């Protein structure tokens, strides 16, 4: 911009000189100024004396400097833009390659934004995928790692490290696209946990048949929560307070019991003394066959492959995670430090 203004000023000065000093017409003065600044090598319009030729030399030098500055800035802008884009892509590729045991959110609509907010509050590592640049820019403005692409394509999922991910959440508005995502994710990473959004009862069933570990219908879930808020408001407030939010004092977490690492497999809860050692409360146990034991007693046996659902402070759950064995820190998240 500055170069263009300076060049315009030189053009005005040159035109005024030839018009006022040399006494030429406006057309001749402007034409002489243009061919001089452009250094095209045309001859003089009218004969000039020494003073006019000295001014013309100065005008040529000023023109060359200004035009050179403009060309330099233009070239620099193009080159910098090219290299900056290359650097940005390289940094993004390195970031995606470094991701491990992370979560993938497909879609950054209202549902995806809320999921990202909860993940951020939990302090978990995650990446957002969306095909719309506007959504990606919004995610990046909020400090999230984001990648623009079609989440239904294998290539996109591979670029965000699907084979190293822990869980993928298909939160696109389209049930068909969510089904494609689940099928692709399970093909590329058979051990990944897939959570999908469904709009209809039929879509819910198809997503379950497609391999989704959990299918959530916003309408069904919303209706249940509204009913619970009407019938058991205090219970709902308590459960919400330990499941979501960054400022809570109590947490709920699940822990996997592996006989290779866990020293308490084969013992009863009373003998394991988990409550007395950590202060955390074991609310339920999910057996390997899917059986759920709610409110286990001291006589409940801890079996291989059990998943313990515990409740307590962040420190209590960290202690519980430590004594249950390192498998808990590999497969499941540690509770976030809330200090």
């Amino acid at each position: 911009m500055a170069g263009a203004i300076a060049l315009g000023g030189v053009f005005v000065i040159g035109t005024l000189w030839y018009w006022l000093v040399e006494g030429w017409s406006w057309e001749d003065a402007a034409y002489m100024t243009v061919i001089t600044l452009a250094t095209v090598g045309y001859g003089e319009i009218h004969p000039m004396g020494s003073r006019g030729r000295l001014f013309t030399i100065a005008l040529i030098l000023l023109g060359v400097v200004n035009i050179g500055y403009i060309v330099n800035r233009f070239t620099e802008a193009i080159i910098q833009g090219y290299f900056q884009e290359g650097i940005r892509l390289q940094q993004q590729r390195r970031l995606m390659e470094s991701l491990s045991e992370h979560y993938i959110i497909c879609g950054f609509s209202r549902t995806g934004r809320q999921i990202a907010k909860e993940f951020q509050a939990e302090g978990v590592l995650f990446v957002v995928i969306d095909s719309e640049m506007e959504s990606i820019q919004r995610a990046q403005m909020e400090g999230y790692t984001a990648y623009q692409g079609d989440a239904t394509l294998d290539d996109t999922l591979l670029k965000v490290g699907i084979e190293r991910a822990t869980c993928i959440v298909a939160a696109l508005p389209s049930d068909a696209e969510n089904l494609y995502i689940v099928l692709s994710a399970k093909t590329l990473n058979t051990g990944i946990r897939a959570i999908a959004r469904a709009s209809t009862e039929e879509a819910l069933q198809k997503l379950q048949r497609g391999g989704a570990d959990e299918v959530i219908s916003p309408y069904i879930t919303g209706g249940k929560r509204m009913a619970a808020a009407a019938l058991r408001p205090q219970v709902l407030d308590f459960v919400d307070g330990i499941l979501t939010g960054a400022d809570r004092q109590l947490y709920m977490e699940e822990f996997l019991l592996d006989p290779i690492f866990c020293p308490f497999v084969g013992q009863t809860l009373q003998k394991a003394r988990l409550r007395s050692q950590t202060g955390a409360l074991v609310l339920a146990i999910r057996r390997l066959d899917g059986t759920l034991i709610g409110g286990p007693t001291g006589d409940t046996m801890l079996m291989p492959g059990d998943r313990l659902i515990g409740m307590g402070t962040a420190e209590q759950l960290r202690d519980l995670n430590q004594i249950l064995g390192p498998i808990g820190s590999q497969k499941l998240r540690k509770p976030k430090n809330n200090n």
Side-chain angles (χ1 to χ4, degrees):
M1 185 66 180
I5 293 174
L7 184 62
V10 172
F11 171 78
V12 171
I13 292 172
T15 302
L16 290 174
W17 171 275
Y18 292 123
W19 176 53
L20 296 174
V21 178
E22 298 295 333
W24 298 357
S25 66
W26 276 104
E27 292 81 1
D28 289 346
Y31 180 70
M32 183 64 186
T33 303
V34 170
I35 64 175
T36 300
L37 294 177
T39 65
V40 296
Y42 294 162
E44 298 172 358
I45 301 300
H46 301 289
M48 289 187 295
S50 299
R51 182 180 60 179
R53 289 178 178 174
L54 288 174
F55 175 78
T56 302
I57 292 173
L59 192 64
I60 291 173
L61 293 176
L62 286 173
V64 169
V65 170
N66 276 276
I67 293 174
Y69 174 79
I70 293 172
V71 171
N72 179 65
R73 295 288 294 179
F74 182 73
T75 305
E76 183 179 322
I78 293 177
I79 293 175
Q80 280 187 349
Y82 174 79
F83 282 109
Q84 285 177 352
E85 179 65 15
I87 292 172
R88 186 189 68 81
L89 292 174
Q90 188 177 28
Q91 290 176 338
Q92 185 183 59
R93 184 169 61 253
R94 288 178 179 175
L95 175 61
M96 297 304 170
E97 291 175 352
S98 69
L99 294 174
S100 180
E101 297 186 3
H102 56 291
Y103 292 66
I104 301 172
I105 303 175
C106 301
F108 199 64
S109 58
R110 287 176 295 179
T111 302
R113 289 196 294 270
Q114 185 61 39
I115 295 169
K117 184 178 180 181
E118 295 296 333
F119 280 1
Q120 186 181 49
E122 288 285 343
V124 301
L125 184 64
F126 67 93
V127 58
V128 174
I129 304 176
D130 200 287
S131 59
E132 299 293 332
M133 177 54 73
E134 183 179 350
S135 298
I136 294 299
Q137 290 174 344
R138 180 169 183 173
Q140 291 173 339
M141 287 178 60
E142 295 182 16
Y144 306 145
T145 302
Y147 180 83
Q148 184 182 12
D150 186 348
T152 64
L153 301 178
D154 290 358
D155 184 59
T156 300
L157 296 179
L158 288 171
K159 285 181 178 177
V160 297
I162 184 69
E163 69 277 13
R164 302 183 303 277
T166 298
C167 178
I168 186 169
V169 182
L172 295 176
S174 169
D175 293 330
E177 289 181 325
N178 289 332
L179 179 58
Y180 283 137
I181 291 171
V182 171
L183 292 172
S184 297
K186 286 293 186 177
T187 301
L188 298 171
N189 181 352
T190 55
I192 196 169
R193 180 169 174 80
I195 314 297
R197 176 189 186 276
S199 300
T200 65
E201 188 72 27
E202 182 180 0
L204 188 148
Q205 296 173 0
K206 288 183 178 180
L207 282 161
Q208 289 175 335
R209 291 199 296 266
D213 297 283
E214 194 74 38
V215 183
I216 307 296
S217 171
Y219 309 107
I220 296 175
T221 303
K224 289 180 178 179
R225 287 180 59 82
M226 291 178 72
L231 300 173
R232 291 175 289 276
Q234 298 304 319
V235 174
L236 184 63
D237 287 344
F238 173 74
V239 173
D240 279 348
I242 60 177
L243 287 180
T244 62
D247 56 350
R248 50 199 161 124
Q249 297 182 359
L250 288 177
Y251 294 81
M252 289 182 66
E253 191 58 273
E254 61 179 76
F255 304 90
L256 177 65
L257 302 187
D258 190 308
I260 298 177
F261 300 104
C262 181
F264 303 109
V265 172
Q267 298 182 12
T268 63
L269 273 175
Q270 184 178 16
K271 188 174 181 180
R273 298 174 53 247
L274 300 180
R275 179 71 185 276
S276 61
Q277 291 187 70
T278 66
L281 177 65
V282 178
L283 297 178
I285 298 176
R286 174 77 71 177
R287 297 295 192 195
L288 191 60
D289 61 2
T291 303
L292 180 66
I293 302 175
T297 65
D299 296 329
T300 302
M301 188 74 67
L302 298 177
M303 306 296 291
D306 281 354
R307 289 185 181 271
L308 270 63
I309 300 174
M311 183 181 72
T313 65
E315 188 62 36
Q316 289 172 342
L317 292 182
R318 272 194 295 271
D319 292 342
L320 181 59
N321 187 76
Q322 286 295 110
I323 68 172
L324 290 178
I327 188 67
S329 62
Q330 292 175 6
K331 292 290 185 181
L332 302 171
R333 294 176 292 104
K334 287 184 180 180
K336 188 184 65 168
N337 192 342
N338 201 35
N339 295 333

